[in-house]
Amino acid sequence: MYTEFQKYLSTELENIESAGLFKKERIITTAQQALIKVSSGQEVLNFCANNYLGLSNSPVLIKAAKEALDTRGFGMSSVRFICGTQDLHLELEKKVAEFFGTEDTILYAACFDANGGVFEPLLNEEDAIISDSLNHASIIDGVRLCKAQRYRYANADMEDLENCLKLAQAQRYRLIVTDGVFSMDGNVPPLDKIYELANKYNAMIMVDESHSAGVVGKTGRGATEQFNLRGKVEIITGTLGKALGGAIGGFTTGKKEIIAILRQRSRPYLFSNSIPPMVAAAGIAMFDMMSKTHELQDKLHSNTEYFVKRMTDAGFSIKPTQSAICAVMLYNARLSQQFAARMLEEGIYVVGFYFPVVPKEQARIRVQISAGHEVEHLDKCIAAFIKVGKELGVI
Ligand SMILES: *Cc1c(COP(=O)(O)O)cnc(C)c1O
């Protein structure tokens, strides 16, 4: 059997390669941070990590993780409800709820699991899920696992959402689902309008704050902070793998009855290991830090403003961003790849995206700004953009 299957897989791989969609992995030989070394020995400035607050290599988090390693061991060897719950897990769940102003929290190994396990236990074929067309893959997969009726509205399009809500009056319960930041454009959905529509058409709201937590809102509490909706949406999901530390771990936080049902019925929670003690402890230390100061968020916001202003002044077109994601528009797929390759030669690590990841004729370089970047890093990046931009006739 395998001989035939092998041929089939080889053809598939060739197709991916010839479509120019083969994903290669660049090997980093240092910690994740602003200045990294890759396996060729080249040192590059990293502008493509989700390390928005620069915490991936934070001494505070490393210290907390090491202490937990010494006092609570390496792993739990169990799911939460058998013998996988330490005091640290409960403390972290409480901190997540305090951060977002919610009632209770349930941890997962990743936000992919949080989204995979949130819909099916709560809703059934009598209900409706109304989802933004640009929502993350894990939301799409989670929705697929649920029997609820599915409605999809164009990205952040309130007219389209309203149409879906009208149609969904046929169902029992309605849940609107949106990312807090959309990862390709860096835009934030108009949660105030979504909230109004949810009230008008009797629906609940779920926001995935993975890209927005730590980034959006005055103190980085996410899109719900930005729109003064703390405690007002029913469900928030998020990750500890982006701004909030960068290691691993996800969560669902919100109304306490929702969290209670998930603890009983959410399959990725019931049938998958609990997060390691060191990750829980580092998470607690991270939220403690956030509760005392938002200087990292302030630095991220000023870094992003600086970058966008200088780049726009230099003649680049950047999609209006409300986050730390800056889409430098090049429109042409080949150009985006050529541009990113030249940037790497200049010591700047950025990635070019094109169809089908973004719409046709919308190819771009996505730059992700971090509080871990110093102004000199930003200046080097901008100078490289200007040099390569002139070379390739973009500006
Ligand atoms: C990154 C991301 C996830 C997945 O998070 P993990 O914890 O890495 O699994 C889920 N949703 C959104 C919106 C994301 O950006």
Side-chain angles (χ1 to χ4, degrees):
M1 176 96 253
Y2 191 64
T3 324
E4 270 172 57
F5 192 57
Q6 188 180 37
K7 243 190 233 155
Y8 161 73
L9 292 182
S10 302
T11 315
E12 285 295 294
L13 287 165
E14 278 160 27
N15 290 344
I16 297 173
E17 180 101 51
S18 61
L21 297 174
F22 199 89
K23 294 177 193 67
K24 295 198 185 77
E25 298 176 1
R26 191 157 276 123
I27 300 159
I28 299 171
T29 57
T30 56
Q32 186 66 278
Q33 52 199 1
L35 184 64
I36 56 173
K37 204 183 229 182
V38 291
S39 54
S40 65
Q42 191 193 5
E43 283 201 330
V44 298
L45 284 172
N46 190 359
F47 280 88
C48 53
N50 302 315
N51 186 21
Y52 297 120
L53 297 179
L55 294 176
S56 302
N57 196 23
S58 151
V60 177
L61 272 59
I62 291 170
K63 180 164 172 279
K66 278 183 176 163
E67 274 169 21
L69 204 48
D70 288 337
T71 59
R72 299 297 203 293
F74 177 62
M76 291 311 298
S77 310
S78 179
V79 299
R80 287 285 299 274
F81 83 97
I82 298 182
C83 56
T85 303
Q86 279 179 341
D87 49 352
L88 294 176
H89 295 96
L90 296 180
E91 195 181 338
L92 178 56
E93 287 177 339
K94 216 169 128 226
K95 302 269 176 191
V96 173
E98 280 165 16
F99 185 81
F100 289 101
T102 46
E103 294 175 1
D104 197 5
T105 305
I106 174 172
L107 293 175
Y108 290 84
C111 188
F112 209 106
D113 290 330
N115 287 334
V118 69
F119 302 106
E120 185 263 343
L122 298 173
L123 303 170
N124 67 27
E125 59 277 355
E126 292 178 70
D127 306 317
I129 300 172
I130 305 155
S131 182
D132 189 290
S133 62
L134 291 189
N135 278 343
H136 190 261
S138 54
I139 294 178
I140 296 168
D141 284 9
V143 171
R144 280 186 187 142
L145 292 171
C146 175
K147 292 200 171 68
Q149 304 296 317
R150 300 168 199 167
Y151 298 87
R152 207 172 82 125
Y153 62 97
N155 178 233
D157 182 332
M158 293 301 101
E159 221 172 284
D160 206 10
L161 172 59
E162 184 159 12
N163 287 335
C164 291
L165 282 163
K166 283 178 186 160
L167 294 172
Q169 295 306 305
Q171 277 79 47
R172 180 182 57 167
Y173 302 124
R174 286 159 291 282
L175 177 64
I176 304 168
V177 188
T178 179
D179 280 11
V181 162
F182 296 96
S183 66
M184 284 299 143
D185 287 3
N187 59 315
V188 171
L191 275 190
D192 49 348
K193 307 244 169 56
I194 292 177
Y195 187 73
E196 272 173 32
L197 287 173
N199 282 336
K200 184 168 172 196
Y201 292 97
N202 198 21
M204 301 178 283
I205 300 176
M206 166 175 150
V207 183
D208 179 342
E209 298 265 27
S210 288
H211 272 291
S212 38
V215 175
V216 173
K218 192 169 181 330
T219 69
R221 262 67 175 166
T224 41
E225 178 186 20
Q226 172 139 327
F227 290 98
N228 290 320
L229 291 172
R230 274 171 70 75
K232 294 204 175 147
V233 308
E234 283 75 15
I235 302 172
I236 290 174
T237 59
T239 182
L240 300 174
K242 291 189 171 107
L244 303 180
I248 191 125
F251 52 81
T252 300
T253 188
K255 299 294 179 199
K256 57 184 191 294
E257 298 79 9
I258 290 178
I259 304 305
I261 287 285
L262 293 178
R263 271 191 220 287
Q264 299 305 313
R265 293 197 183 145
S266 179
R267 293 164 71 83
Y269 181 80
L270 293 172
F271 301 112
S272 186
N273 220 355
S274 50
I275 59 169
M278 58 189 159
V279 171
I284 293 166
M286 179 274 304
F287 283 118
D288 282 345
M289 185 176 15
M290 307 264 144
S291 70
K292 288 191 199 98
T293 162
H294 43 87
E295 69 187 39
L296 289 176
Q297 286 89 326
D298 294 346
K299 188 173 172 198
L300 176 62
H301 293 154
S302 78
N303 276 356
T304 309
E305 244 171 70
Y306 181 87
F307 181 82
V308 171
K309 170 145 197 345
R310 296 287 158 119
M311 287 287 287
T312 312
D313 287 349
F316 285 100
S317 143
I318 297 192
K319 280 236 172 189
T321 182
Q322 296 156 289
S323 63
I325 291 168
C326 306
V328 182
M329 300 308 291
L330 298 174
Y331 308 104
N332 179 294
R334 189 172 297 274
L335 177 63
S336 71
Q337 298 309 293
Q338 221 180 346
F339 204 112
R342 275 292 293 120
M343 289 294 281
L344 193 65
E345 287 168 10
E346 296 295 322
I348 307 294
Y349 189 9
V350 286
V351 177
F353 291 94
Y354 56 100
F355 184 79
V357 180
V358 294
K360 281 206 168 107
E361 316 299 324
Q362 291 280 306
R364 67 199 60 189
I365 301 244
R366 182 177 72 172
V367 177
Q368 291 175 284
I369 304 295
S370 168
H373 292 135
E374 301 304 330
V375 171
E376 69 192 70
H377 297 143
L378 301 174
D379 285 339
K380 276 191 188 154
C381 179
I382 295 158
F385 261 107
I386 291 172
K387 182 176 172 189
V388 175
K390 284 185 176 154
E391 203 178 286
L392 298 178
V394 175
I395 53 166

